[in-house]
Amino acid sequence: MGTAIKPADAVAQEVATANKGDIEGKTGKTYGTFDVVSYGTQLVAGTNYFLKINTGDEHIHARVYKDLGGDYSVHSVQEGKSADDELAYF
């Protein structure tokens, strides 16, 4: 990952919120709670966001790509994570 993991901020929450439907589509679940806990970024031809998200019952890790035009795509989601699981490149 390009940057150190840092606490969630407004930018990370905006990325998660903007992609919540696609993340739910990948997991087949609907989340009432969807709060980013921490995140990291990787600069490529755009930006990869690695998000640790508290969904109430569990934590999930989501990798969301934002291209240079500002469009998002959800690359992958890892379920069954805990608050203590390290957020790493996937």
Side-chain angles (χ1 to χ4, degrees), residues 27-51:
T27 64
K29 298 176 182 175
T30 301
Y31 303 111
T33 300
F34 205 71
D35 300 322
V36 177
V37 176
S38 59
Y39 76 108
T41 57
Q42 176 190 39
L43 291 178
V44 287
T47 305
N48 282 319
Y49 288 88
F50 296 87
L51 308 166

Side-chain angles (χ1 to χ4, degrees), residues 2-61:
T3 63
I5 303 303
K6 52 192 166 196
D9 58 20
V11 172
Q13 189 62 54
E14 179 182 322
V15 171
T17 301
N19 292 281
K20 184 176 185 240
D22 290 338
I23 291 170
E24 289 174 334
K26 292 246 187 218
T27 64
K29 298 176 182 175
T30 301
Y31 303 111
T33 300
F34 205 71
D35 300 322
V36 177
V37 176
S38 59
Y39 76 108
T41 57
Q42 176 190 39
L43 291 178
V44 287
T47 305
N48 282 319
Y49 288 88
F50 296 87
L51 308 166
K52 179 186 287 192
I53 303 168
N54 177 359
T55 63
D57 294 331
E58 66 176 346
H59 285 70
I60 60 173
H61 293 178

